Amino acid sequence: MAGLGRDALLGVLGDIERVANRLAGYRAEVLGALDALSRSGVAPDVAPHLSLRDAAGVSERDARKMVRGAEKAREHDGVLEALSVGDINAAQAEALCDARVPDGVRAELVAAAAAGEDTDATRRRVRRAEADHSVETPMERFERQRRSRGAGWQRDHEGMLRLWAKLDPEVGAAVEAGLEALRRQYWLNDKQVRNGRRTPAQRDADVLAYALTGITHTDTDTAAVERLHARARPDGHFPDQPVGDDDAAIVLRLPPAQISVLIGLDGLRGSTDEMGLTDAGVELPPHIVRRLACDAEIIPMILGGPGGPADVGRSARTVPLRLRRLLIARDRHCQWPGCNQPPSRCDAHHIHHWTDGGPTDLDNLVLLCHTHHHHLHQHGHKMIPQPDGTWTTIQETGPMPAPRRTNGQPRGP
């Protein structure tokens, strides 16, 4: 491979993935043949995932996932065919099989995925198709999601504890809002660190450790927790954590977090099935939003109506909360081409820079995740809106000078 250039090497990677996709389709067919033998009584197998584990040497968890994926693919001939010829990968196949849409729409989704889409693009297309052609009501979808909730934890081969959880949108929105509030406080602390800054994954692990156990590793993290609690209490007092006699007593580590939901007035009144949208980009059925509204103050927001224009003009550079919520309602996620980070991880970027005279109004703002926002400014890119509602980028200026390194670590955010 030493004689191959970048384009040739990328082509080889594409060929490898295509072969891997075809093998995944072949595996689904082989597992189907084994299932047929088991059902016929010729070779009964009560645990096909264990047979796959022993035959392939994979973990039991991976074997279960492969068996489930193969079962789904065999239920949809079009999906299995696209997988078997290498046009889609196993993750795309699972998303297409899980799509709750009519078969005709599923066939269109398979064709779009087989035309060269990546997995993230396929998942986004599936979500849009479900919104337009769903075979279930928003409440039926919510009840199905609630039934599929789950969580677990186990030790890995090094003794590290691994956690996983899947929560329905309502509970998930509450949990995410609480964790996101502390994550932001930790992130504000880490922005000041120039050397040895923890990674985003390490920061999230520390957030979860505090939420579950009350453990903080540094004085700055403890101060961040105190700021969060002080903000939630009118008197600004940070109370001592309650300690029970029972070692297993559960205490509330994080203060209740505010959940902001955007929904049309007709949806809130129950006249339509319009979904509500949280600041984190989570969709909630109108029934759930109305229930939340019973215990919340409702702040009306009118897009371009008599309630006030959606802009601040040149009076302020910082985007106020009301305008940010309107921006979230419009963009839903990071608008950098190919990125789908949720609003909770995004900044409001001035398309025409504020320092150059750009106003702080909705038409001059776009959501960008922290990574792409920094990349845009660092490399002199500009966001360009397209007629279909998407965005492209162009490079207006050359990249800024690389930050000076200290002990192998870059300086600056």
Side-chain angles (χ1 to χ4, degrees):
M1 290 184 289
L4 297 180
R6 183 177 185 276
D7 291 342
L9 289 171
L10 290 176
V12 172
L13 286 178
D15 292 340
I16 291 173
E17 290 307 308
R18 189 174 182 85
V19 171
N21 298 342
R22 296 179 66 181
L23 289 174
Y26 190 27
R27 180 174 60 218
E29 295 176 5
V30 172
L31 288 172
L34 287 171
D35 183 61
L37 288 175
S38 178
R39 291 177 183 275
S40 68
V42 174
D45 189 352
V46 296
H49 68 282
L50 295 181
S51 299
L52 175 59
R53 179 199 65 184
D54 296 339
V58 298
S59 69
E60 183 175 341
R61 179 180 180 182
D62 288 342
R64 286 181 183 273
K65 184 176 181 179
M66 292 176 184
V67 169
R68 285 196 301 267
E71 290 173 347
K72 292 178 181 179
R74 294 196 302 271
E75 293 175 357
H76 302 281
D77 293 339
V79 176
L80 181 57
E81 180 181 354
L83 181 63
S84 297
V85 299
D87 288 344
I88 63 174
N89 59 46
Q92 287 175 304
E94 184 173 11
L96 293 165
C97 289
D98 288 342
R100 283 165 172 79
V101 295
D103 290 339
V105 176
R106 192 189 318 276
E108 295 175 1
L109 293 172
V110 173
E117 274 188 344
D118 60 49
T119 303
D120 290 334
T122 296
R123 288 170 175 163
R124 290 194 295 270
R125 188 182 293 272
V126 166
R127 285 198 296 269
R128 291 195 298 268
E130 287 181 331
D132 295 336
H133 307 282
S134 180
V135 295
E136 57 186 359
T137 67
M139 201 59 206
E140 288 173 340
R141 179 187 180 191
F142 175 79
E143 293 297 341
R144 172 179 56 79
Q145 291 171 323
R146 173 156 285 181
R147 289 192 299 271
S148 67
R149 69 189 183 278
W153 53 88
Q154 63 180 19
R155 295 281 179 178
D156 67 10
H157 64 284
E158 287 188 324
M160 301 282 284
L161 182 66
R162 292 183 175 270
L163 310 174
W164 70 270
K166 184 169 69 171
L167 306 173
D168 67 71
E170 180 187 9
V171 175
V175 171
E176 185 177 25
L179 295 177
E180 191 64 42
L182 185 56
R183 171 198 268 169
R184 181 164 184 81
Q185 293 299 316
Y186 281 8
W187 176 68
L188 291 174
N189 283 345
D190 287 356
K191 285 179 66 177
Q192 311 305 317
V193 177
R194 300 303 186 198
N195 200 11
R197 182 188 301 175
R198 56 188 162 185
T199 66
Q202 291 171 334
R203 185 162 54 243
D204 287 352
D206 293 344
V207 168
L208 195 58
Y210 176 78
L212 294 175
T213 67
I215 293 175
T216 55
H217 295 291
T218 65
D219 291 340
T220 54
D221 281 358
T222 301
V225 170
E226 292 179 354
R227 289 198 306 270
L228 196 62
H229 279 271
R231 183 182 301 169
R233 293 177 59 87
D235 59 5
H237 175 64
F238 177 62
D240 294 333
Q241 292 287 356
V243 179
D245 295 333
D246 186 355
D247 290 338
I250 298 176
V251 296
L252 182 63
R253 304 289 181 186
L254 295 171
Q258 182 186 57
I259 303 176
S260 300
V261 184
L262 286 162
I263 190 171
L265 185 58
D266 289 339
L268 188 61
R269 287 173 171 170
S271 303
T272 68
D273 286 335
E274 178 188 358
M275 301 285 279
L277 182 72
T278 72
D279 280 356
V282 178
E283 290 187 335
L284 295 177
H287 172 77
I288 300 300
V289 177
R290 288 194 291 272
R291 189 172 70 198
L292 293 174
C294 291
D295 301 319
E297 177 184 5
I298 300 176
I299 304 173
M301 297 175 63
I302 303 173
L303 292 171
D311 65 70
V312 182
R314 291 289 302 162
S315 62
R317 177 175 182 170
T318 304
V319 177
L321 181 58
R322 175 180 178 276
L323 184 53
R324 179 177 172 83
R325 286 171 176 166
L326 294 176
L327 182 61
I328 290 171
R330 188 195 70 187
D331 288 354
R332 303 297 182 96
H333 55 78
C334 174
Q335 294 298 297
W336 187 272
C339 186
N340 202 39
Q341 286 290 327
S344 57
R345 301 190 181 190
C346 291
D347 303 321
H349 166 69
H350 287 74
I351 302 168
H352 180 47
H353 298 313
W354 190 86
T355 54
D356 296 331
T360 302
D361 61 38
L362 191 59
D363 290 337
N364 192 46
L365 295 172
V366 63
L367 278 183
L368 288 177
C369 68
H370 306 318
T371 298
H372 285 126
H373 196 193
H374 177 69
H375 179 84
L376 180 144
H377 286 285
Q378 185 72 21
H379 296 279
H381 287 277
K382 181 178 179 62
M383 299 290 292
I384 306 296
Q386 300 300 302
D388 61 356
T390 62
W391 295 78
T392 59
T393 64
I394 61 172
Q395 190 165 9
E396 290 190 312
T397 61
M400 295 172 59
R404 182 167 60 87
R405 293 178 177 269
T406 303
N407 297 329
Q409 294 292 332
R411 297 197 61 177

Coordinates of all heavy atoms in Angstrom, one line a residue, residues 76-149:
H76 N -37.6 -8.2 5.9 CA -37.8 -7.2 4.9 C -36.9 -7.6 3.7 O -35.7 -7.3 3.8 CB -37.5 -5.8 5.4 CG -38.4 -5.4 6.5 ND1 -39.7 -5.0 6.4 CD2 -38.1 -5.4 7.9 CE1 -40.2 -4.7 7.6 NE2 -39.3 -5.0 8.5
D77 N -37.4 -8.1 2.7 CA -36.6 -8.7 1.6 C -35.8 -7.6 0.9 O -34.6 -7.8 0.6 CB -37.5 -9.3 0.5 CG -38.2 -10.6 1.0 OD1 -37.7 -11.1 2.0 OD2 -39.3 -10.9 0.4
G78 N -36.4 -6.4 0.7 CA -35.6 -5.3 0.1 C -34.4 -4.9 0.9 O -33.3 -4.6 0.3
V79 N -34.5 -4.8 2.2 CA -33.4 -4.5 3.1 C -32.3 -5.6 3.0 O -31.1 -5.3 2.9 CB -33.9 -4.3 4.5 CG1 -32.7 -4.0 5.5 CG2 -34.9 -3.1 4.6
L80 N -32.8 -6.8 3.1 CA -31.8 -7.9 3.1 C -31.0 -8.0 1.7 O -29.8 -8.2 1.7 CB -32.5 -9.3 3.3 CG -31.6 -10.5 3.4 CD1 -30.5 -10.4 4.4 CD2 -32.4 -11.8 3.6
E81 N -31.7 -7.7 0.7 CA -31.1 -7.7 -0.7 C -30.0 -6.6 -0.8 O -28.9 -6.8 -1.2 CB -32.1 -7.5 -1.8 CG -31.5 -7.5 -3.2 CD -32.6 -7.3 -4.2 OE1 -33.8 -7.3 -3.9 OE2 -32.2 -7.2 -5.4
A82 N -30.4 -5.4 -0.3 CA -29.4 -4.3 -0.3 C -28.2 -4.6 0.5 O -27.1 -4.2 0.2 CB -30.1 -3.0 0.1
L83 N -28.4 -5.2 1.7 CA -27.3 -5.6 2.5 C -26.5 -6.7 1.9 O -25.2 -6.6 1.9 CB -27.9 -6.1 3.9 CG -26.8 -6.5 5.0 CD1 -26.0 -5.3 5.4 CD2 -27.5 -7.1 6.2
S84 N -27.1 -7.6 1.3 CA -26.4 -8.8 0.7 C -25.5 -8.4 -0.5 O -24.5 -9.0 -0.8 CB -27.3 -9.9 0.3 OG -28.0 -10.4 1.4
V85 N -25.9 -7.3 -1.2 CA -25.0 -6.9 -2.3 C -24.1 -5.8 -1.9 O -23.3 -5.3 -2.7 CB -25.9 -6.4 -3.5 CG1 -26.8 -7.5 -4.0 CG2 -26.7 -5.2 -3.1
G86 N -24.1 -5.4 -0.6 CA -23.1 -4.5 -0.1 C -23.5 -3.0 -0.2 O -22.6 -2.2 0.1
D87 N -24.7 -2.7 -0.6 CA -25.1 -1.3 -0.8 C -25.3 -0.6 0.5 O -25.3 0.7 0.5 CB -26.3 -1.2 -1.7 CG -26.0 -1.6 -3.2 OD1 -24.8 -1.6 -3.5 OD2 -27.0 -1.8 -3.9
I88 N -25.7 -1.3 1.5 CA -26.0 -0.7 2.9 C -25.2 -1.5 3.9 O -24.8 -2.6 3.7 CB -27.5 -0.6 3.2 CG1 -28.1 -2.0 3.3 CG2 -28.2 0.2 2.2 CD1 -29.5 -2.0 3.8
N89 N -25.0 -0.9 5.1 CA -24.3 -1.6 6.1 C -25.3 -2.1 7.2 O -26.5 -1.8 7.1 CB -23.2 -0.8 6.8 CG -23.8 0.5 7.4 OD1 -24.8 0.6 8.0 ND2 -23.1 1.7 7.1
A90 N -24.9 -2.9 8.2 CA -25.8 -3.5 9.1 C -26.5 -2.4 9.9 O -27.7 -2.7 10.3 CB -25.0 -4.4 10.1
A91 N -25.9 -1.3 10.3 CA -26.6 -0.3 11.1 C -27.7 0.3 10.2 O -28.8 0.6 10.8 CB -25.6 0.8 11.5
Q92 N -27.4 0.6 9.0 CA -28.5 1.1 8.1 C -29.6 0.1 8.0 O -30.8 0.5 8.0 CB -27.9 1.5 6.7 CG -27.0 2.7 6.7 CD -26.4 2.9 5.3 OE1 -25.7 2.0 4.8 NE2 -26.6 4.0 4.7
A93 N -29.3 -1.1 7.8 CA -30.3 -2.2 7.7 C -31.2 -2.2 8.9 O -32.4 -2.3 8.8 CB -29.6 -3.5 7.5
E94 N -30.6 -2.1 10.1 CA -31.4 -2.1 11.3 C -32.3 -0.9 11.4 O -33.5 -1.0 11.7 CB -30.5 -2.1 12.5 CG -31.3 -2.2 13.8 CD -30.4 -2.4 15.0 OE1 -29.1 -2.3 14.9 OE2 -30.9 -2.7 16.1
A95 N -31.8 0.3 11.0 CA -32.6 1.5 11.0 C -33.8 1.4 10.0 O -34.9 1.8 10.3 CB -31.8 2.7 10.7
L96 N -33.5 0.8 8.9 CA -34.6 0.7 7.8 C -35.6 -0.3 8.2 O -36.8 -0.2 8.0 CB -33.9 0.3 6.5 CG -33.0 1.4 5.9 CD1 -32.2 0.8 4.8 CD2 -33.9 2.5 5.3
C97 N -35.2 -1.4 8.9 CA -36.1 -2.4 9.4 C -37.0 -1.9 10.5 O -38.2 -2.2 10.6 CB -35.4 -3.6 9.8 SG -34.6 -4.6 8.5
D98 N -36.4 -1.0 11.4 CA -37.2 -0.5 12.5 C -38.1 0.6 12.1 O -39.0 1.0 12.9 CB -36.2 0.0 13.6 CG -35.5 -1.2 14.3 OD1 -36.0 -2.3 14.2 OD2 -34.5 -0.9 14.9
A99 N -37.9 1.2 10.9 CA -38.8 2.3 10.5 C -40.2 1.9 10.5 O -40.6 1.0 9.9 CB -38.3 2.8 9.1
R100 N -41.0 2.7 11.2 CA -42.5 2.5 11.3 C -43.2 3.3 10.2 O -43.8 4.3 10.5 CB -43.0 2.7 12.7 CG -42.6 1.6 13.6 CD -42.7 2.0 15.1 NE -42.6 0.8 15.9 CZ -41.4 0.3 16.2 NH1 -40.3 0.8 15.7 NH2 -41.3 -0.8 16.9
V101 N -43.1 2.8 9.0 CA -43.6 3.4 7.8 C -44.2 2.4 6.9 O -43.9 1.2 7.0 CB -42.5 4.2 7.0 CG1 -42.0 5.4 7.9 CG2 -41.4 3.3 6.6
P102 N -45.1 2.8 6.0 CA -45.6 1.8 5.0 C -44.5 1.2 4.2 O -43.4 1.8 4.0 CB -46.6 2.6 4.1 CG -46.9 3.8 5.0 CD -45.7 4.1 5.8
D103 N -44.8 0.0 3.6 CA -43.7 -0.7 2.9 C -43.2 0.1 1.7 O -42.0 0.0 1.3 CB -44.2 -2.1 2.4 CG -44.4 -3.1 3.6 OD1 -43.8 -2.8 4.6 OD2 -45.2 -4.0 3.4
G104 N -44.1 0.8 1.0 CA -43.7 1.6 -0.1 C -42.7 2.7 0.2 O -41.7 2.9 -0.5
V105 N -42.9 3.3 1.4 CA -42.0 4.3 1.9 C -40.7 3.7 2.3 O -39.6 4.3 2.0 CB -42.6 5.1 3.1 CG1 -41.6 6.1 3.6 CG2 -43.9 5.8 2.6
R106 N -40.8 2.5 2.9 CA -39.5 1.8 3.3 C -38.7 1.5 2.0 O -37.4 1.6 2.1 CB -39.8 0.5 4.0 CG -38.6 -0.1 4.7 CD -38.9 -1.5 5.2 NE -40.2 -1.6 5.9 CZ -40.4 -1.2 7.1 NH1 -39.4 -0.8 7.9 NH2 -41.6 -1.3 7.6
A107 N -39.3 1.1 0.9 CA -38.6 0.9 -0.3 C -37.8 2.1 -0.8 O -36.7 2.0 -1.3 CB -39.5 0.3 -1.4
E108 N -38.5 3.3 -0.7 CA -37.8 4.5 -1.0 C -36.7 4.8 -0.1 O -35.6 5.3 -0.6 CB -38.9 5.7 -1.0 CG -40.0 5.5 -2.0 CD -41.0 6.6 -1.8 OE1 -40.9 7.5 -0.9 OE2 -42.0 6.6 -2.6
L109 N -36.8 4.5 1.1 CA -35.7 4.8 2.1 C -34.5 3.8 1.8 O -33.4 4.3 1.9 CB -36.2 4.5 3.5 CG -37.2 5.5 4.1 CD1 -37.8 5.0 5.4 CD2 -36.6 6.9 4.2
V110 N -34.8 2.6 1.4 CA -33.7 1.6 1.1 C -33.0 2.1 -0.2 O -31.8 2.1 -0.2 CB -34.3 0.2 0.8 CG1 -33.2 -0.7 0.3 CG2 -34.9 -0.3 2.1
A111 N -33.7 2.6 -1.2 CA -33.1 3.1 -2.4 C -32.2 4.3 -2.1 O -31.1 4.4 -2.6 CB -34.2 3.5 -3.4
A112 N -32.7 5.2 -1.2 CA -31.8 6.4 -0.9 C -30.6 6.0 -0.2 O -29.5 6.5 -0.4 CB -32.7 7.4 0.0
A113 N -30.7 5.0 0.8 CA -29.5 4.5 1.5 C -28.6 3.8 0.6 O -27.3 4.0 0.7 CB -30.0 3.6 2.6
A114 N -29.1 3.0 -0.4 CA -28.2 2.3 -1.3 C -27.5 3.2 -2.3 O -26.5 2.8 -2.9 CB -29.0 1.2 -2.0
A115 N -28.0 4.4 -2.4 CA -27.4 5.3 -3.4 C -26.1 6.0 -2.9 O -25.5 6.8 -3.6 CB -28.4 6.4 -3.8
G116 N -25.7 5.7 -1.6 CA -24.5 6.2 -1.1 C -24.6 7.0 0.2 O -23.6 7.7 0.6
E117 N -25.7 7.0 0.8 CA -25.9 7.7 2.1 C -25.0 7.1 3.2 O -24.8 5.8 3.2 CB -27.4 7.7 2.6 CG -28.2 8.7 2.0 CD -29.6 8.8 2.6 OE1 -30.0 7.8 3.3 OE2 -30.3 9.8 2.5
D118 N -24.6 7.9 4.1 CA -24.0 7.3 5.3 C -25.1 7.0 6.3 O -26.2 7.3 6.2 CB -22.9 8.3 5.9 CG -23.5 9.6 6.3 OD1 -24.5 9.6 7.0 OD2 -22.9 10.7 6.0
T119 N -24.7 6.3 7.4 CA -25.6 5.8 8.4 C -26.4 6.9 9.1 O -27.6 6.8 9.3 CB -24.9 4.9 9.5 OG1 -24.2 3.9 8.8 CG2 -25.9 4.4 10.4
D120 N -25.7 8.0 9.4 CA -26.4 9.1 10.1 C -27.4 9.7 9.2 O -28.5 10.1 9.6 CB -25.4 10.2 10.5 CG -24.5 9.7 11.7 OD1 -24.9 8.9 12.4 OD2 -23.3 10.2 11.8
A121 N -27.1 9.9 7.9 CA -28.1 10.5 7.0 C -29.3 9.6 6.8 O -30.4 10.0 6.7 CB -27.4 10.7 5.6
T122 N -29.1 8.3 6.8 CA -30.2 7.3 6.7 C -31.1 7.4 7.9 O -32.3 7.4 7.8 CB -29.6 5.9 6.6 OG1 -28.9 5.8 5.3 CG2 -30.8 4.9 6.6
R123 N -30.5 7.5 9.1 CA -31.3 7.6 10.3 C -32.1 8.9 10.3 O -33.3 8.9 10.7 CB -30.4 7.5 11.5 CG -29.9 6.1 11.8 CD -28.8 6.1 12.9 NE -28.3 4.8 13.2 CZ -27.2 4.5 13.8 NH1 -26.4 5.5 14.2 NH2 -26.9 3.2 14.1
R124 N -31.5 10.0 9.9 CA -32.3 11.3 9.8 C -33.4 11.2 8.8 O -34.5 11.6 9.0 CB -31.3 12.4 9.4 CG -30.4 12.8 10.5 CD -29.7 14.2 10.2 NE -28.9 14.1 9.0 CZ -27.6 13.8 9.1 NH1 -27.0 13.5 10.2 NH2 -26.9 13.9 7.9
R125 N -33.2 10.5 7.7 CA -34.2 10.4 6.7 C -35.3 9.5 7.2 O -36.5 9.7 6.9 CB -33.6 9.7 5.4 CG -34.6 9.7 4.2 CD -33.9 9.1 3.0 NE -32.8 9.8 2.5 CZ -33.0 10.8 1.6 NH1 -34.2 11.1 1.1 NH2 -31.9 11.5 1.1
V126 N -35.0 8.5 8.0 CA -36.0 7.6 8.6 C -36.9 8.4 9.5 O -38.1 8.3 9.5 CB -35.3 6.4 9.3 CG1 -36.3 5.7 10.2 CG2 -34.8 5.4 8.2
R127 N -36.2 9.2 10.3 CA -37.0 10.0 11.3 C -38.0 11.0 10.6 O -39.1 11.1 11.0 CB -36.1 10.8 12.2 CG -35.4 10.0 13.3 CD -34.8 10.8 14.4 NE -33.8 11.7 13.9 CZ -32.5 11.4 13.9 NH1 -32.1 10.2 14.3 NH2 -31.6 12.3 13.5
R128 N -37.5 11.6 9.5 CA -38.4 12.5 8.8 C -39.5 11.7 8.1 O -40.7 12.2 8.1 CB -37.6 13.2 7.7 CG -36.6 14.2 8.2 CD -36.2 15.2 7.1 NE -35.4 14.5 6.1 CZ -34.1 14.3 6.0 NH1 -33.4 14.8 7.0 NH2 -33.5 13.7 5.1
A129 N -39.2 10.5 7.6 CA -40.3 9.7 7.0 C -41.3 9.2 8.0 O -42.5 9.2 7.7 CB -39.6 8.5 6.3
E130 N -40.9 8.9 9.2 CA -41.8 8.5 10.2 C -42.7 9.7 10.6 O -43.9 9.5 10.9 CB -41.0 8.0 11.5 CG -40.4 6.6 11.3 CD -39.6 6.1 12.5 OE1 -39.1 7.0 13.3 OE2 -39.6 4.9 12.7
A131 N -42.2 10.9 10.6 CA -43.0 12.0 11.0 C -44.0 12.3 9.9 O -45.2 12.7 10.2 CB -42.1 13.3 11.1
D132 N -43.7 12.0 8.6 CA -44.6 12.3 7.5 C -45.5 11.1 7.2 O -46.7 11.3 6.7 CB -43.8 12.6 6.2 CG -43.0 13.9 6.4 OD1 -43.4 14.7 7.2 OD2 -42.0 14.0 5.6
H133 N -45.1 9.9 7.5 CA -45.9 8.7 7.1 C -46.1 7.7 8.2 O -46.2 6.5 8.0 CB -45.2 8.0 5.9 CG -44.9 8.9 4.7 ND1 -45.8 9.3 3.8 CD2 -43.7 9.5 4.4 CE1 -45.3 10.1 2.9 NE2 -44.0 10.2 3.2
S134 N -46.0 8.2 9.4 CA -46.0 7.3 10.6 C -47.3 6.4 10.6 O -48.4 6.9 10.3 CB -45.9 8.0 11.9 OG -45.9 7.1 13.0
V135 N -47.2 5.1 11.0 CA -48.3 4.2 11.1 C -48.8 4.2 12.5 O -49.7 3.4 12.8 CB -47.9 2.8 10.6 CG1 -47.6 2.8 9.1 CG2 -46.7 2.3 11.4
E136 N -48.3 5.0 13.4 CA -48.7 5.1 14.8 C -48.9 6.5 15.2 O -48.2 7.4 14.6 CB -47.7 4.4 15.7 CG -46.3 4.9 15.6 CD -45.3 4.2 16.4 OE1 -45.7 3.2 17.1 OE2 -44.1 4.5 16.4
T137 N -49.8 6.8 16.1 CA -50.0 8.2 16.6 C -48.8 8.5 17.5 O -48.1 7.7 18.0 CB -51.3 8.3 17.4 OG1 -51.2 7.5 18.6 CG2 -52.5 7.8 16.6
P138 N -48.6 9.8 17.8 CA -47.6 10.2 18.7 C -47.7 9.5 20.1 O -46.6 9.2 20.7 CB -47.8 11.7 18.9 CG -48.4 12.2 17.6 CD -49.3 11.0 17.2
M139 N -48.9 9.4 20.6 CA -49.0 8.7 21.9 C -48.7 7.2 21.8 O -48.1 6.7 22.7 CB -50.4 8.9 22.4 CG -50.5 8.8 24.0 SD -49.4 9.9 24.8 CE -49.1 9.0 26.3
E140 N -49.1 6.6 20.7 CA -48.7 5.1 20.5 C -47.2 5.0 20.5 O -46.7 4.0 21.0 CB -49.4 4.6 19.3 CG -50.9 4.4 19.4 CD -51.5 4.0 18.1 OE1 -50.9 4.3 17.0 OE2 -52.6 3.5 18.1
R141 N -46.6 5.9 19.8 CA -45.1 5.9 19.7 C -44.5 6.0 21.1 O -43.6 5.3 21.4 CB -44.6 6.9 18.7 CG -43.1 7.0 18.6 CD -42.7 8.2 17.8 NE -41.2 8.2 17.7 CZ -40.6 9.3 17.2 NH1 -41.2 10.3 16.8 NH2 -39.2 9.2 17.1
F142 N -45.0 7.0 21.8 CA -44.5 7.2 23.2 C -44.7 6.0 24.1 O -43.7 5.6 24.8 CB -45.2 8.4 23.8 CG -44.8 8.7 25.2 CD1 -43.6 9.3 25.5 CD2 -45.6 8.3 26.3 CE1 -43.2 9.6 26.8 CE2 -45.2 8.5 27.6 CZ -44.0 9.1 27.9
E143 N -45.8 5.4 24.1 CA -46.1 4.2 24.9 C -45.1 3.1 24.5 O -44.6 2.3 25.3 CB -47.5 3.8 24.8 CG -48.5 4.7 25.4 CD -48.3 4.9 26.9 OE1 -47.7 4.0 27.5 OE2 -48.8 5.9 27.5
R144 N -44.9 2.9 23.2 CA -44.0 1.9 22.7 C -42.5 2.2 23.2 O -41.8 1.3 23.6 CB -44.0 1.8 21.2 CG -42.9 0.9 20.6 CD -43.0 0.9 19.1 NE -42.9 2.2 18.5 CZ -41.8 2.9 18.3 NH1 -40.6 2.4 18.7 NH2 -41.8 4.0 17.7
Q145 N -42.1 3.4 23.1 CA -40.8 3.8 23.6 C -40.7 3.6 25.1 O -39.7 3.1 25.6 CB -40.5 5.3 23.3 CG -40.4 5.6 21.8 CD -40.3 7.0 21.5 OE1 -41.0 7.8 22.1 NE2 -39.5 7.4 20.5
R146 N -41.8 3.9 25.9 CA -41.7 3.6 27.3 C -41.6 2.2 27.6 O -40.8 1.8 28.6 CB -42.9 4.2 28.0 CG -43.1 3.9 29.5 CD -43.9 4.9 30.2 NE -43.2 6.2 30.4 CZ -43.7 7.2 31.0 NH1 -44.9 7.2 31.5 NH2 -43.0 8.3 31.2
R147 N -42.2 1.3 26.9 CA -42.1 -0.1 27.1 C -40.8 -0.7 26.8 O -40.3 -1.7 27.4 CB -43.2 -0.9 26.3 CG -44.6 -0.7 26.7 CD -45.5 -1.7 26.0 NE -45.5 -1.6 24.6 CZ -46.4 -0.8 23.9 NH1 -47.3 0.0 24.6 NH2 -46.3 -0.7 22.6
S148 N -40.0 0.0 25.9 CA -38.7 -0.5 25.5 C -37.6 0.1 26.4 O -36.4 -0.1 26.0 CB -38.4 -0.1 24.0 OG -38.3 1.3 23.8
R149 N -37.9 0.8 27.4 CA -36.9 1.3 28.3 C -36.1 0.2 28.9 O -36.5 -0.9 29.1 CB -37.5 2.2 29.4 CG -38.3 1.4 30.5 CD -39.1 2.4 31.4 NE -39.8 1.7 32.4 CZ -40.9 1.1 32.3 NH1 -41.6 1.1 31.1 NH2 -41.5 0.5 33.3

